[in-house]
Amino acid sequence: MILGLVLIFFQVVIGGITRLTGSGLSITKWEIVTGSIPPLTERGWHEAFQLYKETPQYQKLNQGMQLTEFKWIYFWEYLHRLWARVMGLIFIIPFAFFLMRRWLSAMLVKRLTITFVLAGLVGLFGWIMVASGLVDRPWVNAYKLTVHLCLALLVFGYLEMTVLKASYDVSKTAQSRSFGIFRVFTGLLLLQIFVGGLMSGMKASLVYPTFPDFQGEWIPGVLRSSESWVVENIVNYDTSPFMSALVQVIHRGIAYCLIISGLYIYWNRFRGIKERFLARISTLWITLLVLQICLGIAVLIGSTGVIPVIPGVLHQAVAMLLLAASLAIYYFLRGGGSEEKLQ
């Protein structure tokens, strides 16, 4: 299960690279078995390239791309899909073995079955997302991309909670009074990840690559215009800067709330905790939170014409680590942890 968490983490990271390099639409077919083998001959590569040339992305954005360039974007999408297949095998083979040996508790059988079903749903929605970019528009739909990302993180979080349940029993301890405020923080973090998916899918940082203002304004002018608040701008977000502005304002606003509340929680509730695990995880948690804010600013100011790949991927990776640390703290606070040491 721990190996599964590591594999899911890197799958999301690879997915981030795939998105930022524009590689997600390079493979135009969804072949679960035969798609495990990439083109092995020059003829095979030309056939795959020809299929890509028929997509809106090539015709509208990458006209004139050379075969060597296509191989580069093909590599990232192929690695993303191959990694998913490997994860499935690494999960299902030992799961079936342990199940036949009856080495799994009823709780684990139930939760791991749900994990497997959710993972399959992630894969299915991944193809639905890719298919949205093969007709008319030259990129995947931002809303579908966000759902795909959130489903992947749902699997990650659910599996992490399963690991914690299997490893630590805190059900009989009293609930910590720190739990309430941390639950609010965790809810904000989950909302922020959702909005971050929209930011990513809409490439909203390209519209206002400045900080702390928005191209010289504190509230983007497009949001102050009543004519912009129409359903058309929400559905067809790529025809107007409205949604990019709105999503970025919300994303920044939640980030301010997270850093302020996070520092407050750490200073007033976690600082000086004697319980070793919570002390270490809370220090890691606040460090990741500060680092995440810095990376977010770096992505913003670096998005002049193109979103920087390395800061962008790191921003997504640290978000997952912050989520993992938050869920671990949430789990122990919900059960109480060491109540007398948390007051």
Side-chain angles (χ1 to χ4, degrees):
M1 290 189 293
I2 294 174
L3 176 59
L5 287 174
V6 174
L7 290 172
I8 295 172
F9 172 81
F10 282 105
Q11 174 71 338
V12 175
V13 170
I14 295 170
I17 298 174
T18 301
R19 170 182 51 80
L20 290 173
T21 56
S23 306
L25 301 177
S26 58
I27 302 179
T28 59
K29 294 182 179 180
W30 193 40
E31 298 170 330
I32 298 178
V33 178
T34 58
S36 301
I37 304 174
L40 300 176
T41 63
E42 199 66 18
R43 179 180 177 181
W45 277 112
H46 280 286
E47 290 177 352
F49 191 25
Q50 188 59 43
L51 289 173
Y52 177 67
K53 286 182 178 181
E54 297 174 3
T55 66
Q57 186 180 71
Y58 175 84
Q59 296 168 2
K60 297 180 180 180
L61 298 180
N62 293 333
Q63 190 75 244
M65 172 183 279
Q66 300 300 310
L67 181 59
T68 52
E69 297 173 295
F70 171 71
K71 288 181 179 180
W72 173 246
I73 64 172
Y74 187 100
F75 165 77
W76 287 111
E77 174 64 7
Y78 173 74
L79 179 61
H80 189 50
R81 298 192 187 191
L82 180 64
W83 198 277
R85 292 181 175 95
V86 171
M87 281 197 304
L89 291 175
I90 289 177
F91 179 91
I92 196 65
I93 293 175
F95 178 59
F97 177 78
F98 294 148
L99 194 61
M100 288 187 295
R101 291 291 185 123
R102 297 184 179 181
W103 289 352
L104 299 175
S105 66
M107 182 274 290
L108 278 179
V109 171
K110 177 183 177 180
R111 293 187 69 89
L112 292 178
T113 300
I114 292 174
T115 300
F116 184 72
V117 172
L118 287 174
L121 186 61
V122 174
L124 175 61
F125 217 92
W127 172 246
I128 293 174
M129 176 193 69
V130 169
S132 70
L134 297 177
V135 180
D136 297 330
R137 67 173 70 231
W139 45 71
V140 299
N141 182 278
Y143 299 116
K144 294 178 180 178
L145 181 145
T146 302
V147 173
H148 180 56
L149 173 64
C150 289
L151 284 173
L153 294 181
L154 175 62
V155 176
F156 180 79
Y158 191 79
L159 184 57
E160 180 188 356
M161 296 300 281
T162 302
V163 171
L164 291 172
K165 282 180 176 291
S167 305
Y168 304 97
D169 182 13
V170 295
S171 59
K172 297 181 180 180
T173 59
Q175 188 182 85
S176 168
R177 286 185 296 180
S178 301
F179 175 67
I181 188 172
F182 197 81
R183 179 168 56 182
V184 174
F185 175 90
T186 306
L188 272 177
L189 178 61
L190 293 173
L191 178 61
Q192 180 71 327
I193 290 173
F194 174 80
V195 178
L198 294 176
M199 276 281 295
S200 173
M202 296 177 182
K203 299 183 178 180
S205 60
L206 295 175
V207 181
Y208 297 101
T210 58
F211 182 85
D213 59 359
F214 296 83
Q215 299 283 43
E217 299 178 299
W218 290 107
I219 299 295
V222 67
L223 297 183
R224 299 196 303 269
S225 172
S226 59
E227 296 178 356
S228 300
W229 292 82
V230 294
V231 175
E232 177 67 20
N233 285 341
I234 298 175
V235 176
N236 298 312
Y237 59 86
D238 47 358
T239 61
S240 166
F242 171 77
M243 278 304 294
S244 293
L246 179 61
V247 167
Q248 194 172 150
V249 167
I250 295 174
H251 196 56
R252 294 194 195 190
I254 297 176
Y256 295 140
C257 293
L258 285 173
I259 190 64
I260 292 172
S261 61
L263 290 172
Y264 171 82
I265 293 170
Y266 181 75
W267 186 262
N268 289 279
R269 300 299 177 93
F270 294 158
R271 189 170 56 91
I273 292 177
K274 296 180 181 180
E275 208 284 324
R276 182 176 299 178
F277 176 83
L278 281 175
R280 289 179 176 177
I281 197 69
S282 62
T283 300
L284 174 62
W285 166 76
I286 194 64
T287 302
L288 289 170
L289 178 59
V290 174
L291 177 60
Q292 181 68 346
I293 296 294
C294 295
L295 284 170
I297 295 172
V299 173
L300 266 178
I301 62 179
S303 297
T304 52
V306 62
I307 300 174
V309 175
I310 294 179
V313 172
L314 287 176
H315 189 49
Q316 183 167 294
V318 173
M320 287 194 70
L321 295 176
L322 178 60
L323 174 64
S326 299
L327 290 177
I329 295 174
Y330 178 92
Y331 177 77
F332 280 93
L333 291 185
R334 183 180 61 180
S338 298
E339 174 69 13
E340 69 283 356
K341 300 173 185 177
L342 289 172
Q343 303 310 320

